[in-house]
Structure formats: C-alpha cells, structure tokens
C-alpha cells in the first residue's frame, strides 16, 4: 500500500525539499527544460508498473533511461526525445537497485544477489545487450552506482553484503577494487561533477536502537577517506547528491525511525563538503 506524507508534516516538508533538489538536477541536465512546465509523456508508467529508477544522460541531449517493474520483470526503458516516447530495451529477472550512465556505457546493479551470481552489468550499446562485470562473493545488494566525469571513466558502487558494507571502484568494469569498507552497509555514493577525485559515500554501521551513520569523503579518488558527518540518531538512505553547479553543496537523506509509515526523515546539507 502506498503512503502519502501529510502536507505540513516534517516528512512532507522533507519530501518536498528532496523533490525540488531532484527537479533542479534534472532541469540542469536537460538544458532548456523550464521549471513549472510539465507534460504527461505516457512513458514507462503507462505500463502499469512501478518505476524504480530514472537517469538522465547528460552527454546526449534528450536521452534518459528508466527501470520499471512489470509483471515480475525489471525492464529498462529508453527515451531519445526528452520523454516523448519510450522503448523497452532490455528485461532483467533480477531486482535492479541502481543505474549509472556515461557517454560510452551504462551500468546496472542488482539487489539481494546470492553468492556466485552477477551483481553488476555493463552495456556499451545503449542498453540493448548486457555483460556481467561483477560477481557477488557473498549475498550482495548494489545500492548505488555513480560514474566520475573523467577520461578514465571511474565507476563507484555502494554495496551492502552479508559480510558488511563496501565501496568498489573500477575504470574498466573488468576488475573492481574495494576502496572503503565498514561492518554495516553503504547506501549511497556520489562524485563531484567537476572533480573526479572527490567522492562521498554514506554508510550505516548501527541498527535500530543502536545507530551510527556516517558520510565519508575522499579527495584522491578513494586512496584515503575521512569522516565528514556522524549521526547516532538516524540511518542514511539512498539519497546523496552533489549540486552540479555548486559542488561545495552536498545533500544527504536520512531516516529517523522505522516504527510506522511514513517514517520521519531528515535532509542534511553541507555548503563546504
């Protein structure tokens, strides 16, 4: 059952702020799209499924991808005309939890992947065909993927595994290195759009009643990390965004309680990240 936040409630305010930030990012990527001008596209949602992910291709005007769950399958849709029309380009049996795009490749990450099965795939033909590039060593969920804006095409992945959390890095997709680990989970990762060496990761080490949530930052592409935010009353979720025009501004979403839907949430912001 879907739950809606009541207008004026703390949760409702946070949801509104988060939606506004996402809108800013989408409009920045789309270029000429005007805030306040909305059109029903009849896109993937017309398939009566649940839209899981949406990503805009900043390198190719008008191109975007969406992952939608339809009849037990997770389908990847693509538009090349700013959402005017959508085409299904691939279907996955696995639950897809993350999507990242560059001008040369797409990456998809799966959730609840058992040991020995593919957890990350890559496509180099706009999603028509996919090859597995990372196999889960233990039960793994790929919660987030992001690509750095550099010639080396650095890709970072935030993982939760049965052995704890990890942030992975690759430049080719063929081999992945653990650049950050913890005993809990990593829910989100983001790369500075103007500096590929500056990366943030949000992780949780605690549990209900014993929380410890932290945001880490590296300025040397993952060689070393420092903790820049710690909370003992919240748990970080999937939302971690660096402002595209003002990269010193970083947003992170947390969940305060788990007892009743909708949960209380907070939006953290740094202006000197």
């Amino acid at each position: 059952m879907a739950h809606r936040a009541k207008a004026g409630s703390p949760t409702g305010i946070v949801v509104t702020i988060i939606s506004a930030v996402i809108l800013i990012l989408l409009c920045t990527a789309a270029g000429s799209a005007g805030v306040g001008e909305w059109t029903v596209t009849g896109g993937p949602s017309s398939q009566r499924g649940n839209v899981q992910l949406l990503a805009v291709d900043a390198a190719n005007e008008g191109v975007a991808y969406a992952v939608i769950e339809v009849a037990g399958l997770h389908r990847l849709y693509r538009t090349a005309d700013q959402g005017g029309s959508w085409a299904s380009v691939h279907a996955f049996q696995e639950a897809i939890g993350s999507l990242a795009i560059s001008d040369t490749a797409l990456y998809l990450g799966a959730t609840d992947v058992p040991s020995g099965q593919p957890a990350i795939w890559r496509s180099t033909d706009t999603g028509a065909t996919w090859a597995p590039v990372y196999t889960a060593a233990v039960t793994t969920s790929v919660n987030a993927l992001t690509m750095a804006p550099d010639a080396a095409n650095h890709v970072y992945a935030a993982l939760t595994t049965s052995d704890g959390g990890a942030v992975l890095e690759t430049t080719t997709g063929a081999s992945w290195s653990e650049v950050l680990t913890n005993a809990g989970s990593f829910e989100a990762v983001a790369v500075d759009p103007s500096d590929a060496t500056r990366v943030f990761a949000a992780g949780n080490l605690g549990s209900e009643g014993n929380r410890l949530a932290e945001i880490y930052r590296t300025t040397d592409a993952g060689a070393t990390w420092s903790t820049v935010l710690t909370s003992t009353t919240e748990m970080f979720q999937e939302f971690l965004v660096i402002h595209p025009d003002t990269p010193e501004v970083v947003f992170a979403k947390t969940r305060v309680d788990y007892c009743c839907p909708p949960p209380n949430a907070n939006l953290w912001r740094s202006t000197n990240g």
Side-chain angles (χ1 to χ4, degrees), residues 22-37 56-64 81-82 244-245:
I22 294 174
L23 177 61
I24 291 172
L25 298 179
L26 289 175
C27 288
T28 300
S32 61
V35 175
E37 300 173 5
V56 176
D57 187 344
N60 295 287
E61 184 176 357
V63 176
D81 55 7
Q82 297 182 337
D245 297 324

Side-chain angles (χ1 to χ4, degrees), residues 14 18 234 252-256 264-268:
V14 170
I18 292 173
E234 302 159 282
K253 176 191 170 194
T254 61
R255 181 169 177 164
V256 180
N264 291 326
N266 281 331
L267 182 68
W268 288 82

Side-chain angles (χ1 to χ4, degrees), residues 3-83:
H3 298 276
R4 295 180 180 273
K6 295 181 180 179
S9 69
T11 301
I13 294 171
V14 170
V15 170
T16 300
I17 294 173
I18 292 173
S19 299
V21 173
I22 294 174
L23 177 61
I24 291 172
L25 298 179
L26 289 175
C27 288
T28 300
S32 61
V35 175
E37 300 173 5
W38 293 84
T39 303
V40 176
T41 66
S45 60
S46 65
Q47 299 296 317
R48 296 183 180 273
N50 183 17
V51 178
Q52 306 282 327
L53 300 165
L54 175 66
V56 176
D57 187 344
N60 295 287
E61 184 176 357
V63 176
Y65 294 84
V67 174
I68 177 173
E69 184 181 2
V70 181
L73 292 176
H74 285 72
R75 293 187 177 275
L76 178 70
Y77 287 80
R78 182 179 186 270
T79 179
D81 55 7
Q82 297 182 337

Side-chain angles (χ1 to χ4, degrees), residues 152-191:
N153 286 322
H154 282 88
V155 183
Y156 294 89
L159 274 58
T160 299
T161 80
S162 55
D163 285 346
V167 175
L168 307 181
E169 181 270 339
T170 185
T171 55
T172 64
S175 61
W176 296 75
S177 301
E178 284 189 353
V179 293
L180 183 62
T181 61
N182 68 15
S185 67
F186 281 98
E187 302 296 330
V189 61
V191 182

